[in-house]
């Protein structure tokens, strides 16, 4: 696609429910990243994929968070038993190469705004 | 570990003033990349620039310019003749050997008439 697509754009869920967030990267981009941005805060790294493997999962805040990427393309971030502190914008980015991305950096999607009530 | 520090939380200027956003980084990698992104009120992250650690040449793009100094581990961003449309949060970021892009906490720039 022309850009990084994330769905849904907004998600309101009840505390304790599971949610799945989807990221469709730019076609051909091998690297994919998930970040979280809480209100008024910076971007917190969650996980990095190179192809289907995840060499760096160090940012996942707890075992309630997991992510997978299949076929080297679409990625799903799953949050189980959601808590109110999970409320944030979840951003996905992709790039065509490894370290440093391309000359155009990393391309970010518009994010999924998750609200846990 | 890598770290990016943007000490300025918020800056307010009057239109047409010049403004410099500071960025200081820490990394043990010899090869790394530095970035600036803009996040307007709409929320999307807009890529502005990427520099690699071997290229210390300053860069100018229209009203934007960047000063990269390895000696002080800084990568500062200057907007000349600021405009209201420049109002946004600006993030500095670093990608080291582990491919992870580490962001600073951002600087909120407000440009007023």
């Amino acid at each position: 696609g022309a850009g990084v697509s994330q769905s849904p754009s907004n998600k309101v869920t009840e505390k304790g429910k599971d949610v799945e967030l989807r990221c469709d990267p730019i076609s051909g981009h091998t690297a994919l990243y998930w970040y979280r941005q809480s209100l008024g805060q910076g971007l917190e790294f969650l996980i990095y994929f190179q192809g289907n493997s995840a060499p760096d999962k160090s940012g996942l805040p707890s075992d309630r968070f997991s992510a997978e990427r299949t076929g080297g393309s679409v990625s799903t971030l799953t949050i189980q038993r959601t808590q109110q502190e999970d409320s944030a914008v979840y951003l996905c980015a992709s790039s065509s190469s490894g370290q440093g991305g391309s000359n155009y950096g990393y391309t970010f999607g518009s994010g999924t705004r998750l609200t846990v009530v | 570990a890598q770290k990016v520090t943007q000490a300025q939380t918020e800056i307010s200027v009057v239109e047409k003033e010049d403004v410099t956003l500071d960025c200081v980084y820490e990394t043990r990698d010899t090869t790394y990349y530095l970035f600036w992104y803009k996040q307007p009120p709409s929320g999307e992250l807009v890529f502005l620039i990427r520099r690699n650690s071997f290229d210390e040449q300053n860069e100018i793009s229209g009203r934007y310019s960047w000063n990269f100094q390895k000696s002080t581990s800084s990568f500062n961003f200057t907007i000349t003749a600021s405009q209201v449309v420049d109002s946004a949060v600006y993030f500095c970021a670093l990608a080291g050997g582990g491919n992870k892009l580490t962001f600073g906490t951002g600087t909120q720039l407000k440009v007023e008439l």
Side-chain angles (χ1 to χ4, degrees), chain A residues 13-90:
Chain A
T13 191
E14 291 181 355
K15 179 180 172 182
K17 301 271 187 169
D18 297 352
V19 294
E20 282 190 356
L21 313 180
R22 176 187 168 106
C23 172
D24 199 344
I26 291 174
S27 178
H29 278 195
T30 57
L32 185 147
Y33 305 77
W34 283 98
Y35 286 83
R36 178 170 72 173
Q37 186 174 28
S38 301
L39 187 62
Q41 302 297 308
L43 278 80
E44 175 189 4
F45 168 80
L46 298 178
I47 188 169
Y48 155 61
F49 286 93
Q50 183 62 43
N52 288 341
S53 64
D56 191 343
K57 310 178 182 180
S58 62
L60 294 177
S62 75
D63 58 9
R64 296 186 297 104
F65 287 72
S66 63
E68 64 176 15
R69 189 179 186 196
T70 56
S73 182
V74 171
S75 176
T76 303
L77 176 69
T78 301
I79 309 174
Q80 295 178 311
R81 304 180 303 281
T82 51
Q83 304 294 314
Q84 287 185 328
E85 62 262 27
D86 299 333
S87 296
V89 175
Y90 289 81

Side-chain angles (χ1 to χ4, degrees), chain A residues 99, chain B residues 1-3 25-32 53 73 94-98:
Chain A
Q99 185 193 22
Chain B
Q2 52 192 39
K3 184 179 178 182
Y25 62 91
E26 297 175 29
T27 181
R28 294 179 183 173
D29 295 312
T30 53
T31 301
Y32 53 90
S53 52
S73 297
L94 165 72

Side-chain angles (χ1 to χ4, degrees), chain B residues 24-71:
Chain B
V24 174
Y25 62 91
E26 297 175 29
T27 181
R28 294 179 183 173
D29 295 312
T30 53
T31 301
Y32 53 90
Y33 294 82
L34 294 163
F35 302 79
W36 277 95
Y37 280 86
K38 173 181 180 180
Q39 188 174 45
S42 55
E44 78 272 23
L45 276 164
V46 179
F47 167 78
L48 296 178
I49 188 171
R50 179 186 86 147
R51 302 294 289 185
N52 74 53
S53 52
F54 300 108
D55 183 0
E56 285 191 74
Q57 280 193 348
N58 292 331
E59 181 153 341
I60 298 174
S61 176
R63 296 184 298 107
Y64 296 169
S65 62
W66 291 270
N67 184 310
F68 176 26
Q69 292 195 344
K70 287 179 77 170
S71 61

